Amino acid sequence: MRFAKIKDNDIANGLGVTMSFWTQGCPHHCKGCFNGETWDFNGGQEFTQEDLQYIIDNINKNNIDRDLSILGGEPLCPQNVEGVFNLCKEFKKHYPNKMIYLWSGYTLENFDESQKKVLKYIDVLIDGKFEENNRNLSLMLRGSSNQRVIDVKKTLLSNKIVFYELG
Ligand code: SF4
């Protein structure tokens, strides 16, 4: 897996403070994407064991209680899905009570088996491509109104899509 960047303190991509991780490479090429530098699968840098350790070691740096946000690029494309699975698994092993938010251009109903495996570790999934004609910057955690903020735990339990209560 390659990644674009890690931001230690982010207040724009989660509820509260998150450490945010942008994967590199996106196959969707949504019109109006504000993150075009993450499309190139050869861009960014290789995600190493040291990078994983950095996240684990610094998630509470300076006594700030952060959750983890995973964005893109596309975290769940074939090039990234295994790396994201390993990151989420390792993160939850250390921090079972911290939230993981994940943004994907795929829609949950169309996830393949490798993408579904990641759900076990995700708390909030924001799914769907960015649609320029549905752009709405006043929405929480989403760029366009077709995207959904899904409560993954409740969705898996009830076997139907349950939206996350944003309060
Ligand atoms: S899925 Fe995200 S990163 Fe990829 S093109 Fe769409 S908006 Fe851009």
Side-chain angles (χ1 to χ4, degrees):
M1 169 170 71
R2 300 182 72 76
F3 75 105
K5 65 176 172 181
I6 296 171
K7 188 172 183 182
D8 288 354
N9 296 302
D10 190 359
I11 52 166
N13 293 300
L15 306 173
V17 186
T18 61
M19 179 179 280
S20 294
F21 173 75
W22 280 264
T23 57
Q24 182 71 33
C26 183
H28 302 304
H29 296 189
C30 308
K31 191 164 175 270
C33 169
F34 38 86
N35 234 351
E37 70 280 2
T38 63
W39 289 6
D40 180 2
F41 282 98
N42 296 314
Q45 55 190 300
E46 189 62 30
F47 184 67
T48 64
Q49 192 60 34
E50 286 73 41
D51 296 318
L52 173 60
Q53 201 57 48
Y54 178 86
I55 294 173
I56 302 293
D57 290 348
N58 289 286
I59 197 80
N60 289 325
K61 192 168 84 174
N62 299 333
N63 291 323
I64 298 172
D65 182 13
R66 299 172 186 82
D67 294 307
L68 179 65
S69 291
I70 303 176
L71 309 101
E74 173 53 69
L76 300 183
C77 63
Q79 294 89 337
N80 291 333
V81 67
E82 193 183 336
V84 166
F85 174 81
N86 290 332
L87 165 60
C88 292
K89 185 177 173 190
E90 196 63 20
F91 185 81
K92 285 286 186 173
K93 198 167 93 188
H94 287 83
Y95 303 107
N97 297 322
K98 283 189 180 288
M99 307 249 298
I100 299 181
Y101 300 83
L102 186 140
W103 278 255
S104 174
Y106 299 103
T107 45
L108 180 55
E109 290 86 346
N110 297 319
F111 276 17
D112 66 19
E113 289 310 311
S114 62
Q115 294 168 332
K116 284 182 194 161
K117 268 174 60 185
V118 182
L119 290 174
K120 180 176 172 192
Y121 302 109
I122 302 300
D123 296 283
V124 180
L125 170 73
I126 298 87
D127 79 342
K129 290 184 198 173
F130 172 70
E131 294 180 356
E132 199 173 35
N133 54 341
N134 287 318
R135 181 176 189 258
N136 184 344
L137 296 183
S138 68
L139 297 170
M140 282 182 82
L141 306 181
R142 302 176 285 164
S144 59
S145 57
N146 61 294
Q147 295 171 314
R148 305 175 298 182
V149 183
I150 295 171
D151 186 320
V152 177
K153 301 274 173 272
K154 288 185 182 167
T155 293
L156 291 178
L157 269 178
S158 61
N159 217 14
K160 65 173 185 347
I161 302 278
V162 179
F163 295 135
Y164 191 79
E165 286 180 27
L166 290 166

